[in-house]
Structure formats: C-alpha cells, structure tokens
Amino acid sequence: MAGASGTLGAQQTTVHGKVVSDAGAPVASALVSVRGGKGGLPTDSAGDFTITVPDANATLVVSRIGFEQREVPLNGQTSIVVRLKPTAVTLDATVVVGYGTQKRSDVTGSVASVNPEQLRDKPNSNFAQSLEGAVPGVNVTTSSSSAEGNDLNIVIRGKNSIKASNKPLIVVDGIPYDGSISEINQSDIESIQVLKDASAAAIYGSRGSNGVILITTKMGASGKPRISYDAYAGVQKISHMPHLMTGPEFAQFKCDRLNGGVDCASALTQSELDVLNAGTWTDWVGLATRTGNQQQHNLSISGGTDGTKYYIAGSLLDVNGIAKGDEFKRYSMRVNLRQKYKEWLELGTNTQLSQADRGGMPASFSDAFYMNPLTNPYNPDGTLAVRPWPEDPVWANPLEGLVVTDADKSRRVFTSNYIQAKLPYIDGLSYRLNAGIDYSNRDQGRYFGRNTDEGLTANGSAYTDNTNRLAWTLENILRYTHNFGKHGIDITTLYSAQRDHEEAVALHGEGFPNDVLTYHQMRVANLLEPADSVTETSMISMMGRLNYNYDDRYLLTLTARRDGSSVFGADHKYGTFPSVAVAWNASNESFWPGGKKFNTLKLRASYGRNGNQAIRPYQTLSQLDEESYINSLGTLPGYIPATLGTPGLKWETTTQLNVGADFGLLNNRLQGSADFYLANTKDLLLDRAISPVQGIPSITQNIGKTRNKGFELQLTSLNIDHQDFSWSTTLNFALNRNKIVDLYGNGQNDIINQWFIGHPIDVGYGYKFDGIWQEGDDIANSAQPTAKPGDVRIVDVNKDGKIDEQDRTFLGDLEPDYTAGLQNTLRYKRFTLSAFLNTVQGITRANELLSTNQVFTEVRRNTILATYWTPDNPINTYPRNDEDANTLSVPFYQDASYIRLQDVTLSYQVPESFAARMGMQSLRVYFSGRNLWTHTKWTGLDPELDSQRARPLAKIFTGGINVEF
C-alpha cells in the first residue's frame, strides 16, 4: 500500500508502521495522517500502513473510532509500532449521533459508546447480550435462556411507562429497526452508541423517551481487498439447577403431607407405586435438557479506492440450546457500498438479507419442573407417553413438543440507502436523501398429532400463520456547516415520512383423518377457524438542530422535532419535542493549568422533552368485538361494543434534565464520564374505571405520572503500560430511583395492580413473613388464633389483633440499588486475557420455588426438596409439610443480588511470519467462557430470570479464530 500526506519536498521520507490495540491486536481502518497536512490513509486489515512524510521529524496523527487519538513524533524513525488505547470517553474520538457524527469534544448530550472489545469474541446470538453491564444506565436482563437469545429486556435509565413499552428505539445505519434483534449479525457492527439524555435523543422525538441505540455497520477502506474469516464453536451447559425431588423423595413428601408419614402406600396411586417399587422414577428436567452447542462462521471482503468503498459479508449462526428442541439458525448476507460519483455527489447502500429458522418446539421447562417423578415418559414400545400419569390424565407429557411438527422461517430485507450532494454556490451546504426499506415475511406451521395431548383430544390439531410486513422510511436532510473566526455552526434540518404496513393470515384446524400430512391438510379439517388482520401506521416528521461552537470551548445545541402520527386521536395528531444543551471544554481555556494531572475536562448540561409512541394502532377509535349468534337460518354475524373512542389520546412525554462531565487525568491514563439526571414522565396511558352500564368497564386516558433520577459513572484506566505487559480497567456504575408520582389524578393507589404513589412501578406487596409458630407460643391470643405450631406467622402490620387485607405491606425491593460492570484486560506479549464482572445489587424478591402450596391438593406436582418444620426440628424459616400451614400464601423473599463472572477470553496473536507461511496476513486464536461463576444468596434457578421455572442460564465455552488474508 502506498499513500501520501502533507506537502512533499526534497527530504520526503517513507515510513512503514503498524497500528495495534492496547491488547496487541491489529487495528484495521485506523486513519494515519501527518500533523498539519491534508487527508490521510487507513491501515489495512493487519494494521499496517506505509506513508510518505515531508521529513524524518514529522509527527503522525493516528485515530480510530473507539480508541484514543495519538500523535507520534517520528524523530528520524522509518519503522514504528503505534499502540492505541480503547476508551469510551476520549474527547478526540468521533461518535455517531442522530443524523451525523461529531467529535466527542463537541457533543453536548449524554452519549455512551460501546467498547468494540465488548462485541468481539463473544458467543452471543445478538448484540444486546454484549451490552449487559457494559454501559452505565443501560440495564439488560435475561428472562429465559433460549437458543435465539432474544428473551431480553433492555431499559435505559429506568422505566418511564407503567403499561406501555419501555424498550429503546433501535436505529441501524440511520433507519429505525423494529425487527428481532437476533436477526442483526453482531459481526457486521462497527460501533454502537447509546443516546441517553433528552438532548441526544430529542432528535428522534416521539420515540426517544426510552433512549436510542444507534448501530453503525462496517464499511471498507481504501486499499487492497481484505478478506476476513471469523469462526467459533462451543458447547452450552446448565449453569445451575435447584434440587427437585426424586421419586423416593416425592413419595415421602406426599406421604408426610397426606398421611402424616404413615401408611405411605395408600398415599400413592397404583402407577406411582409401580414406578417407585421398580426404581424407574423420572428426572423430567434431565430428559428435557441436553448439552447444547453453537457455532458461527463469518466471511467478509472489504476494501476500496478513493471513490469507492465496500464491505461484503456472509454469516451462519447455528445454535442448539440446552432445552431439547430449542434451535435457532440464521443465515445473513450484508452488502455495504459507498460510491463517490463526482466530487460533489456520493451514493451508498447498507443492505442486509437474512433468513432465520426457529423451527422445532422445545420441551416445556415449566411442565418438567412440575411433573410428578413417579410417572413414565415412554410407553413400553418406546413411543412417547401422551399422558404419563394414568390416574391423573390432565397432565400432558412435558416432552411432547419434541414430537410436534413445527416449522417457523422468517426472511428479512433491511436496507438503508442514500444520496448525498454538496449544493453549489454555498460552501458547507449539503443535501442527503435517506431511503430505508424493511421487508419481512414469517411462515409458521405447527401440527399436534395423536401422539400429543392436544392432538389426541382433537384428532389432530393444526395451525398455520403467515405474516408480511413492509415498512419504509424517507428522509430529506439539509445540512449547513460553516466556520468563521472562532465561531462554528452546524445546522441540520429534516423532513421525513414513514409507513408501516402488516398483514397476517392464520388458520386453525381440528379433526383430521390421519397425521400424515400434518398442517398441509386444512381442507379436510372437521373444524376450521380462520383469522386475519391488517395494520397500518404512518408518521410525518420535521426536525431542526443547531450546533454552535465558539473556539472549541463553549458549545450549544438546540433541537426541535415535530411528529405527526396516525395512531393518535383527532385532537392530538402532532407533538413537538424541543431540547437545549450546553457544554464547556474547560481544559481548552488559556488559564487551564494543563500538565499531566488534569488533562481534559468538559462540563455539560441538557434539558428537553421526548415522547413515547405507546398507543396501539386504532386504539383511539371505537371498536366492536365479534359475537356471532345462531337462529333458524344458521350462524349469523353479530357485534358488541368493545372499546370507546378516545380522540384525546396522545404521547406519553418525558422531560429530562441531565448534568454531566467528561474528564481525563494523569496524562489521560484515567478517563471517565459522570452524569446526574432527573426525568419526569407525564400523560401515561392508564385505564380509568367508568360505569359499566354500556358494557365497557374502563377507558384509556393520559393521566399517570412517573419520575426517574439517577447517577452514572464510567471510568477507564491504564494501570500498567510496558512494552511487553499492559493492564487496563473499565468500570461502569449506575443507580436509578424510580417512583410513581400520580395515577388517576385523585391521589389514590391502585392496589389491584400493585401500583402505589411514591413507590417504584415494580414493588413487592403482600403479607409479611414473621417466622414459624412454635410449640409453647401464645397462639390463642395472637392475631392468628386458629394457627397451629409449624404454621407461617404473619406480621400484624396495623396492630389491630387480626390478619386481614389491611396487613399487606411493601416487601423487598424489585429495583436494584445499583448496577456495575468491571472489565479487566491484561496483555503479555502476544497473549491477551480479558475478564468481565457484572453485578446487580439491592434486589429482594419472592422465590416462587419456595411457595408452599404449589403442589396442588393431593400432591399432584413436584417441587424442590426443602427442610420442613417438625416438632423434632423446630426451625423458624419454613413451615410444616401441610397445605394449611400457609393458607394466605405468604411469599418467601430472598436477596436476589448477584456478582457474575460474565465473560472471560484468552487470546493469542500468532506471529505474522508464521501466519504468512500459511498464506495469511494475521491469525488470532481465542478461547472464551460465559456465565462461568455467580455469587448470590438466591436459592432459586437464577436471580436474573423472571421465572424460576424458565429455561436456565447456560455456561458457554467456545474456541475461535480470526483470520485475515
């Protein structure tokens, strides 16, 4: 590769160099230029560059998104190695903001960048798994460990809404993305920015109140083609499983509960006795699980010239989860192309084609948890037993999903295209047209044959569902930039239109002559139920933003966006969302002391308003429900009122104040950012009760209010920096306090939904456990005079001598006191070891596995093995084994805080000379582990999971390679 920068003269010198990361890995596409010169050139895929400089004492400037910019004096050297330190807060770095990019030193809002290392070498099905614990203020929790990895909740700066979605807006290459995040190939992602405060997110108006995640995909750089191959393969194992009762333990438990521990044979049914005596009891969870496996392969080619840049990639992801039948396979292809047609005209496209296969129904984990172990999963001939418990045929086989015919394929085209032109006569004026299309199709077919409970009852049961969705976005952007003296302005205006159209057709059939044709025989069904729907929404938006910069010291951002949406009523079709932000680069002042102790400091503040487009399409209109009826002519269609029209519905609106700082200390070996924020949300969508005289008991109105306030801190330090050894650390810390300010405008709580003014949206509420009644206690004169020794004792909250609904109180805290993440990276020569710890602290919630009444009357379901109160074992933590020992179902709360070793990676960069002998430019091998260790007092399945009978988290071990040709 050859390049030039600066003014060439008689003493020009050619310099060969390599740019590597703090960990020693090559840094491709880093921009290398001569200080004071024009232009520059990128490093190739191995991090190498060759540049011609005006003289041997020139200074090179090396920069790359996600790394510190470095200035390197040559001092006569013609061969150098430049190390770039990754950081999330470097003021010289370039970050992506809405509709453009800025130097971080010019950013006035709260914008967090995801370290590229967080996206690398991770066995993740989607990018959101890489955000967990990695960005302060971004809370990512897993609700179930599926192969697709899509069972995630992403919340930025706490929950604003009580009933509507709190999910952030995701924007991919400038176009809003509303599909499954598992269909985005993480290997194609160049950078992720998170817009958290009102100023940064206000540019997205009615959809920005829950924060915005901006994803930019990769693009090639000038130079020879670079071919990359990345691959990994690994296994999954259950991370932790509570001890469910075995057959003998279940038999003894059932005997103790039903017969007081005597005459145990009469407590069991005949089939249970047969299984117990034969010693063939069943570990249902064991049968429903397996050692999972996963693999991913990515092949890409990128490169370009001064006028053309390209990135073309193909990927295969294949995951078999720890639940049998849980499978996910994704094929994707990406074509990113940028063409400078003339000096003033540029065209480009970022297009992804993908197909996802979710076929296969996994075994039911919750049913496996509950299923009686004294049952047989298989018939004598080896086929699956449809109803494993002959005396209680209500229970279907938890494994029946494995014999269900299930096909589920989706195809998606997501493309972002643009034309950008520099307009004549006015320097700095440009026009850009963005056109985005998101088309998806999902075909589903499912058949329950006579070897399943549903199919046996219905003589075969079939479902088909076909959904087509087309969304398009068209944006007209006019931008003007101009510098005069110490002043600089950047004005961006936008006019855009969006439309989203979805059609779905579904069929359900029952009663088939046989199971051979599965769901391909709807025409011969005895009962056929069709369903179809059409949904369409549209939006028109106008936006203006002014960025003003005085002498790189004083910064001002003014933004206003006006959105009009079809989902809102006639009274509020449009909403306006303004914001203002200011910043002061104090370290650029002439009086700044400088030196190595306090290098950089930027103070910033913002205030603005965003919206949450939380209303479903057609929710503002009066609607009818179908209520067919029968007369002498047969079945005739009929309708009844379902909802009342509400033309006054509008956006939920969040107003947020943010005060923050970005700083660098000790010659920038310690860098960080800190933010304080206060967010008030009003006009929440809630259902107000009305007189049911017309058959409708409630109406949706904008009446609620919530508040979030919090603090966020991110620190990156270079602890040791020697030639052969370095150690860097990144710490993320966040706390958020959420509460309901008002509900229905009357100061009243909603006890039924457990919403309380002055408390968080999610609270624990009920009767409070106060230990166990013991023999010798004065039970007759207590608030529970009918209790027995061994029963649960309940706190008499109001001290009125009785236990009733007035004694329910607040229990535990379902919102964390704080969350934090700690990343340590150690490099020794060509070896790199990184470890990431994630912690959530301060959560206390009920452990559903400890519920005393979950086995049903006559003990028909399994549960965990527990230690019960007995006269010989008078513990004060758990009641006697009797269904009347806890008649009010008092929950058992536990500390659900945890510290998790989330990711560990060990990599080795193979010497270039060895790689060259195999025809490679570079070769890197690595081994990684995920969810390796968790420290917690929680005794359930996992403290992070919503349900303790969901598919458990998996330990994942993988090995992989990164190859450049």
Side-chain angles (χ1 to χ4, degrees):
M1 177 186 299
S5 180
T7 302
L8 302 180
Q11 299 181 1
Q12 65 183 23
T13 303
T14 300
V15 177
H16 304 277
K18 187 179 189 67
V19 179
V20 298
S21 70
D22 180 45
V27 177
S29 302
L31 185 65
V32 182
S33 60
V34 178
R35 188 173 67 183
K38 296 181 179 180
L41 56 85
T43 58
D44 63 17
S45 57
D48 296 325
F49 67 89
T50 300
I51 190 170
T52 302
V53 297
D55 62 76
N57 293 315
T59 296
L60 297 183
V61 179
V62 184
S63 61
R64 175 72 155 80
I65 292 178
F67 294 87
E68 289 185 25
Q69 178 174 295
R70 252 192 100 178
E71 294 192 2
V72 184
L74 291 175
N75 296 325
Q77 300 178 86
T78 58
S79 180
I80 63 171
V81 175
V82 181
R83 293 191 181 279
L84 296 183
K85 304 183 181 81
T87 178
V89 296
T90 302
L91 298 183
D92 291 326
T94 300
V95 296
V96 179
V97 295
Y99 306 105
T101 61
Q102 286 183 293
K103 286 198 308 180
R104 182 167 289 278
S105 59
D106 293 340
V107 174
T108 55
S110 180
V111 181
S113 302
V114 177
N115 191 325
E117 298 295 325
Q118 289 295 128
L119 303 175
R120 190 179 188 187
D121 307 336
K122 303 297 189 297
N124 297 329
S125 302
N126 61 70
F127 72 90
Q129 294 170 319
S130 300
L131 300 182
E132 188 170 2
V135 181
V138 179
N139 190 24
V140 181
T141 56
T142 301
S143 58
S144 177
S145 180
S146 66
E148 186 175 357
N150 224 25
D151 301 321
L152 297 170
N153 298 309
I154 308 174
V155 177
I156 298 177
R157 290 189 167 181
K159 293 183 177 181
N160 296 313
S161 183
I162 295 178
K163 291 189 64 178
S165 172
N166 286 285
K167 295 191 301 183
L169 172 67
I170 297 175
V171 178
V172 179
D173 291 325
I175 302 299
Y177 181 85
D178 196 29
S180 170
I181 58 175
S182 61
E183 295 180 18
I184 301 174
N185 182 15
Q186 178 174 289
S187 299
D188 290 336
I189 296 177
E190 173 73 18
S191 67
I192 298 178
Q193 319 289 337
V194 182
L195 313 184
K196 297 187 289 185
D197 73 331
S199 175
I203 201 165
Y204 291 100
S206 64
R207 296 165 297 173
S209 67
N210 295 325
V212 182
I213 298 176
L214 300 181
I215 297 174
T216 303
T217 58
K218 295 178 180 178
M219 179 59 73
S222 298
K224 62 182 180 181
R226 305 174 182 90
I227 300 176
S228 300
Y229 173 68
D230 303 327
Y232 72 76
V235 297
Q236 300 182 0
K237 295 181 178 293
I238 293 177
S239 178
H240 173 256
M241 178 61 63
H243 183 96
L244 294 174
M245 288 189 288
T246 63
E249 291 166 344
F250 181 81
Q252 186 62 53
F253 170 85
K254 192 169 184 178
C255 178
D256 291 342
R257 173 159 289 199
L258 299 182
N259 289 359
V262 298
D263 190 17
C264 290
S266 67
L268 303 177
T269 65
Q270 185 59 51
S271 65
E272 288 178 308
L273 277 173
D274 293 342
V275 172
L276 181 65
N277 293 331
T280 56
W281 54 83
T282 302
D283 174 10
W284 284 101
V285 171
L287 288 179
T289 58
R290 63 186 174 188
T291 297
N293 60 78
Q294 65 185 87
Q295 60 176 319
Q296 181 166 344
H297 302 270
N298 297 285
L299 180 64
S300 68
I301 180 171
S302 62
T305 63
D306 290 341
T308 304
K309 306 288 190 300
Y310 62 88
Y311 172 84
I312 303 172
S315 174
L316 164 66
L317 173 67
D318 188 3
V319 184
N320 298 304
I322 56 176
K324 289 181 180 177
D326 181 24
E327 300 173 358
F328 178 70
K329 186 176 290 185
R330 182 192 69 213
Y331 307 89
S332 67
M333 180 177 181
R334 173 166 290 278
V335 178
N336 289 357
L337 177 64
R338 184 179 302 163
Q339 176 67 51
K340 182 175 287 188
Y341 184 68
K342 293 184 178 297
E343 184 62 30
W344 55 271
L345 181 63
E346 183 176 293
L347 303 88
T349 181
N350 293 352
T351 299
Q352 176 176 298
L353 310 175
S354 64
Q355 174 176 294
D357 187 346
R358 300 175 176 87
M361 178 181 287
S364 172
F365 238 84
S366 59
D367 289 348
F369 265 86
Y370 281 131
M371 194 64 193
N372 181 350
L374 297 176
T375 52
N376 288 311
Y378 302 103
N379 297 315
D381 62 359
T383 59
L384 206 67
V386 177
R387 292 157 184 158
W389 192 357
E391 294 89 350
D392 202 350
V394 70
W395 303 109
N397 196 317
L399 306 179
E400 76 169 16
L402 304 182
V403 297
V404 171
T405 300
D406 183 74
D408 186 352
K409 289 186 177 180
S410 60
R411 302 162 185 86
R412 179 179 297 275
V413 178
F414 184 87
T415 178
S416 172
N417 311 280
Y418 74 90
I419 300 175
Q420 183 165 305
K422 297 178 181 178
L423 299 183
Y425 307 118
I426 303 177
D427 290 338
L429 184 62
S430 64
Y431 168 76
R432 182 182 176 108
L433 174 66
N434 288 338
I437 294 177
D438 184 2
Y439 171 76
S440 62
N441 165 262
R442 186 169 184 176
D443 278 320
Q444 297 172 269
R446 180 172 292 179
Y447 186 77
F448 294 83
R450 290 163 176 81
N451 55 352
T452 67
D453 182 65
E454 180 180 334
L456 184 62
T457 301
N459 286 325
S461 180
Y463 301 84
T464 60
D465 194 345
N466 179 266
T467 303
N468 286 282
R469 175 177 174 266
L470 174 63
W472 57 260
T473 301
L474 196 63
E475 298 176 328
N476 296 273
I477 303 171
L478 196 64
R479 185 177 182 184
Y480 176 68
T481 60
H482 183 63
N483 295 317
F484 48 99
K486 295 183 178 181
H487 306 273
I489 58 172
D490 185 340
I491 301 174
T492 302
T493 60
L494 166 80
Y495 183 85
S496 73
Q498 299 176 46
R499 178 162 293 180
D500 192 329
H501 181 90
E502 181 176 287
E503 296 185 11
V505 178
L507 283 175
H508 173 216
E510 292 184 356
F512 298 97
N514 56 60
D515 297 332
V516 176
L517 296 179
T518 66
Y519 57 84
H520 298 291
Q521 52 180 333
M522 288 293 193
R523 65 189 180 279
V524 297
N526 290 334
L527 173 65
L528 195 62
E529 295 178 313
D532 60 85
S533 65
V534 177
T535 303
E536 184 168 285
T537 61
S538 58
M539 177 181 288
I540 293 177
S541 303
M542 293 150 280
M543 183 274 297
R545 178 179 62 192
L546 167 66
N547 287 318
Y548 170 73
N549 181 333
Y550 176 73
D551 199 23
D552 287 331
R553 291 182 290 161
Y554 309 114
L555 309 170
L556 170 68
T557 300
L558 298 174
T559 305
R561 177 160 177 149
R562 182 169 174 81
D563 287 327
S565 176
S566 64
V567 302
F568 294 101
D571 298 343
H572 296 285
K573 284 293 185 185
Y574 286 86
T576 302
F577 306 94
S579 73
V580 58
V582 294
W584 175 36
N585 280 318
S587 52
N588 288 344
E589 295 285 359
S590 59
F591 59 76
W592 188 255
K596 296 183 178 181
K597 291 185 178 180
F598 210 145
N599 306 97
T600 57
L601 175 65
K602 182 174 72 172
L603 305 177
R604 45 187 169 76
S606 66
Y607 182 80
R609 185 168 67 223
N610 308 112
N612 182 3
Q613 188 176 312
I615 298 176
R616 300 186 306 274
Y618 317 119
Q619 188 176 352
T620 64
L621 304 178
S622 296
Q623 299 181 43
L624 301 175
D625 275 345
E626 181 183 358
E627 191 72 24
S628 299
Y629 64 97
I630 299 175
N631 66 7
S632 59
L633 299 177
T635 302
L636 298 177
Y639 301 92
I640 60 172
T643 61
L644 294 178
T646 50
L649 286 186
K650 56 185 177 181
W651 282 277
E652 295 184 349
T653 304
T654 298
T655 302
Q656 185 176 161
L657 171 68
N658 189 96
V659 178
D662 302 323
F663 54 86
L665 306 171
L666 305 176
N667 201 23
N668 281 332
R669 293 187 63 158
L670 175 64
Q671 299 185 64
S673 64
D675 284 274
F676 297 89
Y677 63 87
L678 174 65
N680 291 301
T681 302
K682 65 177 183 177
D683 298 329
L684 267 65
L685 293 166
L686 295 176
D687 296 330
R688 183 192 292 278
I690 60 176
S691 173
V693 66
Q694 78 289 346
I696 299 175
S698 65
I699 186 171
T700 303
Q701 293 183 330
N702 295 100
I703 45 181
K705 297 179 181 179
T706 61
R707 175 175 296 164
N708 282 279
K709 59 181 179 180
F711 169 70
E712 299 163 356
L713 175 68
Q714 184 173 52
L715 296 173
T716 299
S717 65
L718 181 59
N719 309 312
I720 299 175
D721 185 20
H722 294 309
Q723 182 175 355
D724 291 334
F725 179 74
S726 67
W727 170 30
S728 62
T729 301
T730 298
L731 169 68
N732 301 302
F733 175 87
L735 60 86
N736 180 78
R737 298 294 179 263
N738 165 268
K739 73 175 182 179
I740 297 173
V741 177
D742 192 19
L743 288 170
Y744 305 110
N746 55 11
Q748 298 297 312
N749 297 320
D750 188 334
I751 298 178
I752 294 178
N753 288 306
Q754 296 192 4
W755 299 331
F756 301 93
I757 296 174
H759 292 271
I761 294 173
D762 297 321
V763 296
Y765 183 78
Y767 295 106
K768 186 174 183 180
F769 178 74
D770 194 30
I772 305 298
W773 288 108
Q774 305 292 336
E775 293 179 338
D777 288 346
D778 187 9
I779 298 177
N781 295 313
S782 72
Q784 297 170 256
T786 61
K788 298 178 181 179
D791 287 358
V792 168
R793 185 168 58 201
I794 304 172
V795 175
D796 183 8
V797 173
N798 61 3
K799 306 296 182 184
D800 64 353
K802 61 181 180 180
I803 300 299
D804 56 21
E805 292 183 349
Q806 302 303 315
D807 292 303
R808 290 179 296 175
T809 188
F810 297 100
L811 307 170
D813 193 348
L814 304 184
E815 298 289 336
D817 290 341
Y818 67 89
T819 59
L822 182 66
Q823 172 85 35
N824 279 286
T825 302
L826 297 95
R827 177 191 59 81
Y828 177 69
K829 294 186 176 179
R830 293 182 173 272
F831 288 94
T832 302
L833 176 65
S834 65
F836 181 65
L837 284 167
N838 181 32
T839 183
V840 176
Q841 295 293 322
I843 293 183
T844 305
R845 60 189 179 95
N847 185 347
E848 62 191 272
L849 297 185
L850 296 176
S851 174
T852 58
N853 299 323
Q854 60 187 322
V855 296
F856 287 179
T857 301
E858 299 178 356
V859 188
R860 301 166 64 201
R861 300 199 303 190
N862 199 6
T863 186
I864 62 172
L865 183 65
T867 301
Y868 291 86
W869 180 97
T870 66
D872 297 329
N873 183 37
I875 59 176
N876 200 40
T877 54
Y878 209 63
R880 60 193 174 96
N881 187 6
D882 191 294
E883 65 178 344
D884 293 326
N886 187 15
T887 55
L888 293 180
S889 299
V890 176
F892 295 85
Y893 275 68
Q894 291 184 330
D895 185 355
S897 305
Y898 63 89
I899 302 173
R900 175 166 289 148
L901 183 57
Q902 188 164 298
D903 291 294
V904 176
T905 302
L906 175 64
S907 66
Y908 177 70
Q909 186 72 40
V910 176
E912 286 76 7
S913 58
F914 180 80
R917 288 200 295 269
M918 295 187 292
M920 307 174 186
Q921 289 192 13
S922 68
L923 171 62
R924 179 175 173 271
V925 297
Y926 65 89
F927 299 92
S928 70
R930 186 171 177 85
N931 297 328
L932 299 181
W933 168 82
T934 301
H935 172 72
T936 183
K937 296 179 181 179
W938 184 258
T939 62
L941 189 63
D942 190 276
E944 184 178 351
L945 300 178
D946 291 339
S947 170
Q948 297 305 296
R949 295 183 183 87
R951 279 168 281 188
L953 291 185
K955 290 183 179 180
I956 305 176
F957 304 90
T958 61
I961 60 172
N962 307 125
V963 182
E964 298 276 357
F965 296 96

